[in-house]
Amino acid sequence: MNKGEAKKRIEKLKDEISHHRYLYHVLDKEEISEGALDSLKNELYKLEQAYPNLITADSPTQRVAGKPLDKFEKLSHKERMLSLFDAFSSSDIKDWQERNIKVYKENTGRDIDKFEYYCELKLDGLAISVTYKNSKFFRGATRGDGKVGEDVSSNVKTISSIPLELRKISEEEYKDLGFSEAEKVEIEKYIYEDSIEIRGEAVMSKAVFESLNKEYKKEGKAVLANPRNAVAGSIRQLDPKVANSRKMDFYVYGLSANKRLRDLCKTRAREDKLLALLGFKALKENKVCTNLKEVEDFQNYVEKNRNSLDFIIDGTVVKINDLSLWSVLGVVGKAPRYMMAYKFPAEQVTTKVLDVIWQIGRTGTLTPTAILEAVKVGGAVISRATLHNMDEIKRLGLKINDTIIIERAGDVIPKVVKVMKNLRTGEEKKIIAPSICPQCGSKVEQKEGEVAYRCTNKNCFAVKFKALSHFVSKGAMNIDGLGEKVVEKLMQEALIKDISDLYELSVGDLEALERFADKSASNLISAIAESKERDLYRFIYALGIRHIGEESAQNLADEYSYYGKDKDENYVNILNMLNFFQKYSLEDWQVLPDFGPKLAESLYEFFHDEKNIELIKKLSKEGFQLKTKDVNKKDLKLKGKTFVLTGSLSSLTRAEAKDKLKELGAKVSGSVSKNTSYVLAGSEAGSKYDKAKSLGIEILNEEQFLDLIK
Ligand code: IVH
């Protein structure tokens, strides 16, 4: 290949690569695989090595070019990089519109009663200004003080979603955007014969940020606080190779420094479309809103879905869509009147510490958790915050009753940032580590050289964990989305201590946990609420009474449906059930089918245990609607009678006989006692027959029995 041919091939390769860059990095589409794209780049690189004077600055091979810098050059912005006014509520936004209506009247003498808006995501990254000369990347700069920034071109060029050459817009595309031929010619003049400057936000995705921090941790480096810091650090470091390794992204949010070009676009919405056609990534979520109600809806929608975005946003930016109004409304101080940052609810708020509880972890470690006066922070209601350990409490200087600042950033667990010591009243109480475990009452110790306090009972956490896991499990209350991992997490975060706490959880409590997006949090809360309508036997089984399996639980549920449940009760009143079963003596329990002394003892103990009574009382306030078999009590011919079956029957099975008896209100027991009313003796009746005889209990044969139940 001679130089002339190489030149042609190089041009073709550059065009092709830049087309695929646009598809891949801007439109999230791919026509050819990454591997294929890499081999095109490789061919280009080799050709450029062979003919170094054919290398141009806009070549894709030049994204990572140049040696590390000593420092960044300062440069003046053609148009000042402004900041934004903040709004925090719908009334702030309304006031803003009112002010603009007034200013409009003052400046034009005309009336206007509303504006159309273009609502955008407010990305939390670093503002960057990129200039193109004759359609080629010229330089990239930071905001600096708004007037003078730093030339960070070599790092900005490493961001793949920034084109090195502006994309050629087709006739068709101009037409689609509604530009006339004359307007198109004028726009192209700026692009190809002059310069244009665009502004946008460099961001780092949550995923890249997390993997970067993982790496840092491994290398023993200090971790970065958030993606914004990570971007700022990456853009403002001196080696482009490092910037290149920190995969960043760039979203454009405006044309700058050219009023005429803006006038041609007419609206911010059309400007966004034009920028996208020039090869930039514009935000798909951005939306035209024709009134404040729609602005409000957009804000709520974005806030609800913010966690599903790849990157962090801290609100929206509401812009007056008609660009000709921008110069009418003007700028006050450092911020324009024609746009407003509409921030999400505060992520730092003050609240009071009502109490500190100690939560046991898997390893027996006791972790202090602050119980807070509930507050809304970052859009969620928070009533607890972890305090980690005694050292953290000391570091904060925290006491019970203190006013504190808590923070909830993005989706992370709320943390206590600061104690407002000036607000103390003298009512504050010192926080003391417990000497006995709040879970099991065993001794607590602090090993020498360790921060943590530990419960000395090795099974402490395990017992509660097992009980809770059993309660929510499939065969029991069957709460979808509440596996063992989640139970463990909830226990560790002190969100649940026992079963009744499950029903007190709120979406806000869960959202604060890692990996709980809005949707899964509300799904879980609905699943928990839904479990209140289970069959009674599942609930009894879920209580985890010793020796009570699913079948015995069914027997207990039947027992209550037939003899305990009030006929006016649509659903089981668990408090009534508790009272009813508390009256059962050890002997009474053994009247239930197949309930021996072991079960009787366990049930008697369970229903007389203070903790269990307390739990059932708490649960009874949660509005359970547990279902039982519908028993028609009017017809209970055999109510109060107890039967024992022995031997085999010819016209029906023993199970059928049992069911029939239960239907008629009789109890069926496994063993003969003085409480037995009848023994039904089939053929080959055994010892039960003899016992009945000795106790003088009436014995029925099959025929007599059929007669009785007719
Ligand atoms: S418009 C007038 N649009 O927010 C200056 N800014 O708090 C604002 N930002 O420095 C430019 N997303 O870096 C605009 N969709 C968006 C934005 C956005 C994020 C940043 C921008 C600015 C900061 C102001």
Side-chain angles (χ1 to χ4, degrees), residues 57 100 109 127 135 141 175 245 270 287 296 320 339 342 369 380 421 508 547 551 570 582 598 611 616 691 700:
N100 280 337
S135 90
K175 248 193 228 144
S245 70
R270 196 153 70 139
K287 190 172 178 254
E296 209 52 41
I320 289 188
M339 50 175 84
Y342 193 174
T369 298
K421 293 190 178 144
H547 307 307
E551 205 170 312
N570 278 328
Q582 277 186 328
K598 226 166 66 175
K611 275 198 194 131
I616 291 176
K691 188 158 183 203
L700 304 175

mmCIF file of all heavy atoms in Angstrom, residues 57 100 109 127 135 141 175 245 270 287 296 320 339 342 369 380 421 508 547 551 570 582 598 611 616 691 700:
data_model
loop_
_atom_site.group_PDB
_atom_site.id
_atom_site.type_symbol
_atom_site.label_atom_id
_atom_site.label_comp_id
_atom_site.label_asym_id
_atom_site.label_seq_id
_atom_site.Cartn_x
_atom_site.Cartn_y
_atom_site.Cartn_z
ATOM 1 N N ALA A 57 -5.243 14.448 15.188
ATOM 2 C CA ALA A 57 -5.671 14.494 16.593
ATOM 3 C C ALA A 57 -7.029 13.845 16.805
ATOM 4 O O ALA A 57 -7.352 13.383 17.891
ATOM 5 C CB ALA A 57 -5.719 15.931 17.079
ATOM 6 N N ASN A 100 -40.779 34.437 37.283
ATOM 7 C CA ASN A 100 -40.448 34.556 35.867
ATOM 8 C C ASN A 100 -41.560 35.248 35.075
ATOM 9 O O ASN A 100 -41.290 35.992 34.131
ATOM 10 C CB ASN A 100 -40.141 33.178 35.266
ATOM 11 C CG ASN A 100 -38.729 32.726 35.594
ATOM 12 O OD1 ASN A 100 -37.859 33.572 35.875
ATOM 13 N ND2 ASN A 100 -38.487 31.429 35.578
ATOM 14 N N GLY A 109 -43.007 43.934 28.570
ATOM 15 C CA GLY A 109 -44.258 44.682 28.592
ATOM 16 C C GLY A 109 -45.450 43.809 28.233
ATOM 17 O O GLY A 109 -46.584 44.260 28.229
ATOM 18 N N ALA A 127 -18.998 18.972 35.726
ATOM 19 C CA ALA A 127 -19.356 19.756 34.539
ATOM 20 C C ALA A 127 -18.128 19.907 33.639
ATOM 21 O O ALA A 127 -17.033 20.201 34.104
ATOM 22 C CB ALA A 127 -19.856 21.127 34.967
ATOM 23 N N SER A 135 -15.476 21.186 13.276
ATOM 24 C CA SER A 135 -16.089 19.886 13.571
ATOM 25 C C SER A 135 -15.170 18.888 14.292
ATOM 26 O O SER A 135 -15.572 17.772 14.568
ATOM 27 C CB SER A 135 -16.693 19.239 12.317
ATOM 28 O OG SER A 135 -15.763 18.429 11.652
ATOM 29 N N ALA A 141 -12.648 21.302 28.969
ATOM 30 C CA ALA A 141 -12.240 22.078 30.135
ATOM 31 C C ALA A 141 -13.165 21.847 31.322
ATOM 32 O O ALA A 141 -14.335 21.513 31.168
ATOM 33 C CB ALA A 141 -12.250 23.567 29.774
ATOM 34 N N LYS A 175 -34.307 17.437 8.253
ATOM 35 C CA LYS A 175 -35.719 17.616 7.916
ATOM 36 C C LYS A 175 -36.613 17.133 9.055
ATOM 37 O O LYS A 175 -37.554 17.807 9.462
ATOM 38 C CB LYS A 175 -36.050 16.838 6.630
ATOM 39 C CG LYS A 175 -36.361 17.783 5.475
ATOM 40 C CD LYS A 175 -36.989 17.040 4.329
ATOM 41 C CE LYS A 175 -36.246 17.448 3.045
ATOM 42 N NZ LYS A 175 -36.113 16.337 2.103
ATOM 43 N N SER A 245 -8.377 4.337 32.115
ATOM 44 C CA SER A 245 -8.704 3.097 32.828
ATOM 45 C C SER A 245 -9.954 3.263 33.701
ATOM 46 O O SER A 245 -10.534 2.301 34.165
ATOM 47 C CB SER A 245 -7.534 2.669 33.697
ATOM 48 O OG SER A 245 -7.397 3.570 34.770
ATOM 49 N N ARG A 270 -35.322 20.639 21.082
ATOM 50 C CA ARG A 270 -34.760 20.428 19.751
ATOM 51 C C ARG A 270 -33.237 20.518 19.792
ATOM 52 O O ARG A 270 -32.541 19.794 19.085
ATOM 53 C CB ARG A 270 -35.343 21.436 18.755
ATOM 54 C CG ARG A 270 -35.078 20.999 17.312
ATOM 55 C CD ARG A 270 -36.113 21.514 16.352
ATOM 56 N NE ARG A 270 -35.988 22.947 16.174
ATOM 57 C CZ ARG A 270 -36.105 23.557 14.995
ATOM 58 N NH1 ARG A 270 -36.353 22.866 13.904
ATOM 59 N NH2 ARG A 270 -36.000 24.857 14.909
ATOM 60 N N LYS A 287 -37.716 15.304 29.131
ATOM 61 C CA LYS A 287 -39.095 15.328 28.661
ATOM 62 C C LYS A 287 -39.653 16.754 28.638
ATOM 63 O O LYS A 287 -39.383 17.541 29.536
ATOM 64 C CB LYS A 287 -39.917 14.483 29.629
ATOM 65 C CG LYS A 287 -41.309 14.206 29.182
ATOM 66 C CD LYS A 287 -41.964 13.201 30.126
ATOM 67 C CE LYS A 287 -43.383 12.960 29.708
ATOM 68 N NZ LYS A 287 -44.360 13.564 30.543
ATOM 69 N N GLU A 296 -44.172 18.213 38.005
ATOM 70 C CA GLU A 296 -44.280 17.504 39.287
ATOM 71 C C GLU A 296 -44.308 15.996 39.063
ATOM 72 O O GLU A 296 -43.630 15.238 39.753
ATOM 73 C CB GLU A 296 -45.572 17.971 39.977
ATOM 74 C CG GLU A 296 -45.546 17.921 41.468
ATOM 75 C CD GLU A 296 -44.354 18.635 42.061
ATOM 76 O OE1 GLU A 296 -43.970 19.735 41.589
ATOM 77 O OE2 GLU A 296 -43.777 18.057 42.991
ATOM 78 N N ILE A 320 -36.730 26.321 30.990
ATOM 79 C CA ILE A 320 -37.746 26.892 30.112
ATOM 80 C C ILE A 320 -37.408 26.443 28.697
ATOM 81 O O ILE A 320 -36.261 26.584 28.235
ATOM 82 C CB ILE A 320 -37.801 28.423 30.269
ATOM 83 C CG1 ILE A 320 -38.409 28.703 31.649
ATOM 84 C CG2 ILE A 320 -38.603 29.066 29.129
ATOM 85 C CD1 ILE A 320 -38.742 30.121 31.950
ATOM 86 N N MET A 339 -33.633 28.458 34.329
ATOM 87 C CA MET A 339 -33.612 27.040 34.720
ATOM 88 C C MET A 339 -33.459 26.909 36.224
ATOM 89 O O MET A 339 -33.047 27.839 36.897
ATOM 90 C CB MET A 339 -32.539 26.246 33.979
ATOM 91 C CG MET A 339 -31.158 26.816 33.974
ATOM 92 S SD MET A 339 -29.961 25.699 33.189
ATOM 93 C CE MET A 339 -30.145 26.059 31.465
ATOM 94 N N TYR A 342 -34.188 21.103 40.550
ATOM 95 C CA TYR A 342 -35.261 20.640 41.429
ATOM 96 C C TYR A 342 -34.703 19.426 42.173
ATOM 97 O O TYR A 342 -34.662 18.320 41.642
ATOM 98 C CB TYR A 342 -36.484 20.289 40.584
ATOM 99 C CG TYR A 342 -37.776 20.076 41.357
ATOM 100 C CD1 TYR A 342 -38.970 19.870 40.671
ATOM 101 C CD2 TYR A 342 -37.814 20.093 42.754
ATOM 102 C CE1 TYR A 342 -40.168 19.685 41.346
ATOM 103 C CE2 TYR A 342 -38.997 19.908 43.430
ATOM 104 C CZ TYR A 342 -40.163 19.699 42.725
ATOM 105 O OH TYR A 342 -41.344 19.499 43.395
ATOM 106 N N THR A 369 -27.703 0.122 67.893
ATOM 107 C CA THR A 369 -28.524 0.772 66.873
ATOM 108 C C THR A 369 -29.301 1.895 67.545
ATOM 109 O O THR A 369 -29.903 1.688 68.602
ATOM 110 C CB THR A 369 -29.516 -0.247 66.280
ATOM 111 O OG1 THR A 369 -28.765 -1.277 65.651
ATOM 112 C CG2 THR A 369 -30.430 0.394 65.240
ATOM 113 N N ALA A 380 -37.087 8.692 52.133
ATOM 114 C CA ALA A 380 -37.564 7.528 52.878
ATOM 115 C C ALA A 380 -37.672 7.873 54.356
ATOM 116 O O ALA A 380 -36.914 8.684 54.865
ATOM 117 C CB ALA A 380 -36.606 6.358 52.695
ATOM 118 N N LYS A 421 -24.177 19.144 69.855
ATOM 119 C CA LYS A 421 -24.000 19.228 71.316
ATOM 120 C C LYS A 421 -24.552 20.526 71.906
ATOM 121 O O LYS A 421 -24.938 20.558 73.075
ATOM 122 C CB LYS A 421 -22.522 19.041 71.665
ATOM 123 C CG LYS A 421 -22.076 17.625 71.356
ATOM 124 C CD LYS A 421 -20.712 17.284 71.887
ATOM 125 C CE LYS A 421 -20.426 15.829 71.533
ATOM 126 N NZ LYS A 421 -19.060 15.550 71.192
ATOM 127 N N GLY A 508 -39.592 2.272 53.627
ATOM 128 C CA GLY A 508 -38.443 3.123 53.920
ATOM 129 C C GLY A 508 -37.338 2.374 54.649
ATOM 130 O O GLY A 508 -36.160 2.543 54.351
ATOM 131 N N HIS A 547 -42.141 -29.813 68.503
ATOM 132 C CA HIS A 547 -42.813 -31.069 68.097
ATOM 133 C C HIS A 547 -44.066 -30.852 67.254
ATOM 134 O O HIS A 547 -44.737 -31.818 66.908
ATOM 135 C CB HIS A 547 -43.203 -31.931 69.317
ATOM 136 C CG HIS A 547 -42.075 -32.210 70.238
ATOM 137 N ND1 HIS A 547 -40.878 -32.741 69.811
ATOM 138 C CD2 HIS A 547 -41.943 -31.997 71.572
ATOM 139 C CE1 HIS A 547 -40.060 -32.856 70.841
ATOM 140 N NE2 HIS A 547 -40.683 -32.403 71.931
ATOM 141 N N GLU A 551 -48.824 -31.398 60.261
ATOM 142 C CA GLU A 551 -50.045 -32.164 60.492
ATOM 143 C C GLU A 551 -50.646 -31.851 61.859
ATOM 144 O O GLU A 551 -51.854 -31.624 61.976
ATOM 145 C CB GLU A 551 -49.735 -33.650 60.381
ATOM 146 C CG GLU A 551 -50.948 -34.446 60.004
ATOM 147 C CD GLU A 551 -50.555 -35.865 59.674
ATOM 148 O OE1 GLU A 551 -49.588 -36.040 58.901
ATOM 149 O OE2 GLU A 551 -51.194 -36.781 60.208
ATOM 150 N N ASN A 570 -65.363 -14.024 61.723
ATOM 151 C CA ASN A 570 -65.102 -14.339 60.320
ATOM 152 C C ASN A 570 -63.706 -14.901 60.163
ATOM 153 O O ASN A 570 -63.462 -15.817 59.406
ATOM 154 C CB ASN A 570 -65.203 -13.077 59.465
ATOM 155 C CG ASN A 570 -66.633 -12.770 59.138
ATOM 156 O OD1 ASN A 570 -67.445 -13.685 59.000
ATOM 157 N ND2 ASN A 570 -66.951 -11.488 59.036
ATOM 158 N N GLN A 582 -55.066 -21.672 76.340
ATOM 159 C CA GLN A 582 -54.471 -21.581 77.676
ATOM 160 C C GLN A 582 -55.270 -22.386 78.695
ATOM 161 O O GLN A 582 -54.747 -22.801 79.719
ATOM 162 C CB GLN A 582 -54.397 -20.114 78.117
ATOM 163 C CG GLN A 582 -53.163 -19.426 77.561
ATOM 164 C CD GLN A 582 -52.989 -18.017 78.101
ATOM 165 O OE1 GLN A 582 -53.970 -17.344 78.388
ATOM 166 N NE2 GLN A 582 -51.753 -17.592 78.228
ATOM 167 N N LYS A 598 -45.723 -35.956 75.070
ATOM 168 C CA LYS A 598 -44.646 -35.054 74.642
ATOM 169 C C LYS A 598 -45.225 -33.772 74.021
ATOM 170 O O LYS A 598 -44.830 -32.660 74.349
ATOM 171 C CB LYS A 598 -43.777 -35.762 73.591
ATOM 172 C CG LYS A 598 -42.301 -35.602 73.853
ATOM 173 C CD LYS A 598 -41.447 -36.561 73.037
ATOM 174 C CE LYS A 598 -41.540 -36.257 71.549
ATOM 175 N NZ LYS A 598 -40.640 -37.086 70.734
ATOM 176 N N LYS A 611 -42.981 -14.990 77.144
ATOM 177 C CA LYS A 611 -42.523 -14.412 75.869
ATOM 178 C C LYS A 611 -43.501 -14.716 74.745
ATOM 179 O O LYS A 611 -43.774 -13.866 73.898
ATOM 180 C CB LYS A 611 -41.139 -14.967 75.516
ATOM 181 C CG LYS A 611 -40.022 -14.197 76.180
ATOM 182 C CD LYS A 611 -38.707 -14.486 75.481
ATOM 183 C CE LYS A 611 -37.550 -14.012 76.333
ATOM 184 N NZ LYS A 611 -36.506 -15.026 76.502
ATOM 185 N N ILE A 616 -47.862 -13.200 70.944
ATOM 186 C CA ILE A 616 -49.198 -13.368 70.367
ATOM 187 C C ILE A 616 -50.030 -12.117 70.598
ATOM 188 O O ILE A 616 -50.780 -11.687 69.724
ATOM 189 C CB ILE A 616 -49.874 -14.641 70.916
ATOM 190 C CG1 ILE A 616 -49.123 -15.855 70.344
ATOM 191 C CG2 ILE A 616 -51.352 -14.701 70.552
ATOM 192 C CD1 ILE A 616 -49.588 -17.188 70.835
ATOM 193 N N LYS A 691 -59.434 -51.402 77.220
ATOM 194 C CA LYS A 691 -59.360 -50.283 78.156
ATOM 195 C C LYS A 691 -60.733 -49.618 78.309
ATOM 196 O O LYS A 691 -61.158 -49.298 79.424
ATOM 197 C CB LYS A 691 -58.347 -49.249 77.661
ATOM 198 C CG LYS A 691 -58.088 -48.160 78.699
ATOM 199 C CD LYS A 691 -56.766 -47.460 78.487
ATOM 200 C CE LYS A 691 -56.552 -46.449 79.613
ATOM 201 N NZ LYS A 691 -55.626 -45.408 79.221
ATOM 202 N N LEU A 700 -69.184 -48.748 70.422
ATOM 203 C CA LEU A 700 -70.082 -48.852 69.275
ATOM 204 C C LEU A 700 -69.474 -49.766 68.234
ATOM 205 O O LEU A 700 -68.268 -49.723 68.002
ATOM 206 C CB LEU A 700 -70.278 -47.473 68.622
ATOM 207 C CG LEU A 700 -70.787 -46.320 69.485
ATOM 208 C CD1 LEU A 700 -70.796 -45.029 68.661
ATOM 209 C CD2 LEU A 700 -72.198 -46.618 69.994
#
